[in-house]
Amino acid sequence: MRFRMGSSAALIVALATLATGCGGTGSGTAPAKQPTGDSAEKEAGSGSGGPAVDKVDFDTVFDTEERFEQALPDPASMAGWTPRSAGAEIEEAPEPAANCGPDADWYCARIARGEADFEAAGEEAQFDLTAFADKSAAQDACRKEKSWSAKYTKAQVSPIPGVDSYAYYRNAGGLDGLNVFMCTGTVVAQVLLEGEGSTLDPGTAHSLAQLFAPRIHKAAATS
């Protein structure tokens, strides 16, 4: 998978559609899209919102093309899903954390952002990775996002090993969405399942998040 990097203060620039034959650097393969329905109850477990056990921490700053390319899922790791687009953008002049205000603007102090989108059976799976200059800034962003999202309905997605994870439902633009957020090291990661009239299976969201987290940690450990 090849990325073209942007360099501006604007949001991520849409990039070219991925080819299904792109190579991968990930760990493991995501299962084909899971059915919705009763499996939601099976995934309820202990729920989300609490710290995961054996959390992985790191000081690595995600500010290069290679870091995002390694961390974001690629077609080889997403069996059963059709790739749509992927890319990342480095901020030319990141906003100082001291200038950032409301919880809704939790991403204000980011230094870079990457995204990879896939589609299957009428649903879209979007992987977002928001990078910060250090762990303190990332933790502050995570705290703000948790506070801002508290008004939405909690989704019963089991905790993701190695990260502080939580999940909730949100409807936007006429589409139903299930968001899984993961806070780890210097980044905040999101898996978003979105679809019109979909039941948005928590089991599918959990599987995709379990694919994403190890890729982030592997990218952070790469010299």
Side-chain angles (χ1 to χ4, degrees):
M1 183 193 311
R2 296 305 303 164
F3 280 48
R4 288 183 296 167
M5 297 292 287
S7 179
S8 75
L11 292 177
I12 188 169
V13 177
L15 301 180
T17 300
L18 292 171
T20 56
C22 290
T25 58
S27 56
T29 300
K33 188 177 182 304
Q34 301 179 14
T36 58
D38 294 340
S39 57
E41 295 182 5
K42 297 178 183 178
E43 282 298 328
S46 59
S48 59
V53 296
D54 300 324
K55 286 172 59 177
V56 178
D57 202 4
F58 57 83
D59 295 299
T60 306
V61 178
F62 279 67
D63 58 357
T64 66
E65 172 185 355
E66 289 76 19
R67 296 285 185 203
F68 282 97
E69 188 171 2
Q70 291 166 357
L72 290 166
D74 57 11
S77 65
M78 288 289 289
W81 294 80
T82 301
R84 292 304 181 196
S85 62
E89 185 176 40
I90 305 297
E91 297 290 341
E92 280 186 344
E95 192 73 25
N99 293 353
C100 297
D103 291 350
D105 296 329
W106 62 268
Y107 47 80
C108 169
R110 68 174 181 260
I111 63 168
R113 176 177 175 249
E115 177 184 314
D117 296 336
F118 298 83
E119 186 177 49
E123 284 186 349
E124 179 179 332
Q126 178 177 306
F127 299 86
D128 284 306
L129 190 63
T130 305
F132 297 89
D134 53 42
K135 289 189 292 186
S136 177
Q139 290 167 359
D140 184 58
C142 187
R143 178 189 60 77
K144 287 182 175 180
E145 208 288 330
K146 281 184 178 180
S147 175
W148 174 81
S149 64
K151 59 183 174 289
Y152 294 109
T153 301
K154 181 178 178 180
Q156 294 300 317
V157 176
S158 298
I160 311 303
V163 303
D164 181 5
S165 65
Y166 57 100
Y168 59 89
Y169 293 100
R170 182 189 177 199
N171 180 281
L175 294 175
D176 297 319
L178 195 169
N179 300 265
V180 180
F181 271 85
M182 298 180 286
C183 306
T184 181
T186 60
V187 302
V188 176
Q190 177 192 17
V191 174
L192 168 62
L193 276 180
E194 195 171 54
E196 186 174 0
S198 170
T199 55
L200 302 175
D201 183 27
T204 300
H206 186 261
S207 294
L208 295 176
Q210 282 194 301
L211 165 71
F212 197 11
R215 291 182 67 98
I216 295 169
H217 297 152
K218 183 176 179 180
T222 302
S223 59

